[in-house]
Amino acid sequence: MKKNLITGYNLKDSRFDANFDPKQSLTYGHSDIKHAIQLIGLLRSENIQAKVQLEPKTSAFIYLKEWGEPTQTEDYQVVQIENGNFIAYAKEYDIEFEFDSAEQKNKFQQIILQYAKKNSNDQTGLIYSSWWQPLYYSLSELKDYKVIANNKVSKGHYYAQSFSLSDKSEEVVAGLKKINPGLNVDSYKFWVDEPFYNYLLGDFK
């Protein structure tokens, strides 16, 4: 991140992986457990049925000033690094959802954009701690989602993931191997929500 090679990464332990059916599943990331509880309740109120598993992760990513002044806590800190960027270091989680049907999986985005996507500072009607750019993605193709790349490094049970634009993936892999030639980086495409895709482009919404 100091070399502007990546915009962020997360670290996870494969022993927590849900191993759901990828065609029926979505991954949704956040940092506040109250948000997760409200999101699960919201989906049920909208008659969306899914298996749920929380997977812990730690993350670091570029914090954009347009998001406003960050709330610093023991689990979430924003600091400035040598290249001038502000980096958020956070203890987070991924919620893995395995939906009862493809139709219900397709409805997920509509609900997020209405109730869990921040568009202005004074916006009302959102669930707790909604983000300007929520992160959720699918390993199978979905309409109105954007294709990006995951650049994944594994060692034993642990793995690091850095998401990038598809046309930047080769550059990311080469940069990581320049830092550590022994790394084995697995890159593959997946489908992400447009607000997070915009984040990779440098936008804040």
Side-chain angles (χ1 to χ4, degrees):
M1 295 178 73
K2 292 178 181 178
K3 299 177 182 292
N4 289 316
L5 180 65
I6 58 175
T7 59
Y9 63 86
N10 63 72
L11 303 173
K12 298 181 70 175
D13 184 335
S14 63
R15 289 170 292 185
F16 290 99
D17 287 358
N19 296 312
F20 289 158
D21 179 355
K23 291 182 180 179
Q24 299 290 94
S25 301
L26 276 172
T27 303
Y28 182 96
H30 206 274
S31 59
D32 193 292
I33 197 64
K34 184 175 178 180
H35 182 89
I37 293 168
Q38 290 191 358
L39 176 58
I40 292 168
L42 172 62
L43 293 176
R44 289 178 177 171
S45 73
E46 296 290 322
N47 295 315
I48 303 296
Q49 304 299 322
K51 295 177 184 176
V52 176
Q53 180 163 317
L54 266 67
E55 301 172 355
K57 67 178 181 181
T58 57
S59 301
F61 54 89
I62 295 174
Y63 187 92
L64 301 178
K65 65 180 184 300
E66 292 91 345
W67 292 343
E69 192 67 26
T71 300
Q72 307 270 14
T73 69
E74 184 178 339
D75 293 336
Y76 188 95
Q77 298 179 1
V78 177
V79 300
Q80 191 170 23
I81 62 173
E82 289 88 336
N83 63 8
N85 287 334
F86 286 87
I87 305 297
Y89 296 95
K91 292 181 181 179
E92 298 187 324
Y93 58 81
D94 282 333
I95 309 180
E96 298 288 345
F97 293 107
E98 185 181 72
F99 298 94
D100 283 359
S101 67
E103 181 184 7
Q104 294 205 354
K105 179 177 176 178
N106 289 333
K107 287 181 178 178
F108 181 84
Q109 174 155 265
Q110 175 186 336
I111 294 168
I112 296 301
L113 294 179
Q114 184 172 354
Y115 297 109
K117 161 73 174 83
K118 190 174 182 180
N119 293 304
S120 65
N121 285 317
D122 57 356
Q123 188 174 352
T124 60
L126 300 177
I127 63 174
Y128 183 81
S129 190
S130 292
W131 286 353
W132 289 92
Q133 290 166 298
L135 169 58
Y136 50 95
Y137 57 88
S138 170
L139 296 180
S140 59
E141 185 174 0
L142 284 173
K143 183 183 177 183
D144 298 326
Y145 285 57
K146 298 288 190 178
V147 177
I148 63 170
N150 184 13
N151 308 290
K152 182 177 179 180
V153 179
S154 301
K155 185 174 183 180
H157 294 296
Y158 302 100
Y159 58 94
Q161 303 182 111
S162 182
F163 303 156
S164 71
L165 297 171
S166 297
D167 61 0
K168 298 289 186 182
S169 183
E170 287 188 11
E171 179 183 338
V172 170
V173 172
L176 292 174
K177 290 190 173 183
K178 187 175 182 181
I179 296 169
N180 184 346
L183 288 178
N184 181 22
V185 186
D186 178 26
S187 294
Y188 57 87
K189 70 178 182 180
F190 64 110
W191 288 261
V192 73
D193 61 289
E194 188 168 2
F196 184 78
Y197 177 82
N198 292 340
Y199 169 75
L200 294 178
L201 294 174
D203 295 335
F204 75 101
K205 284 188 177 181

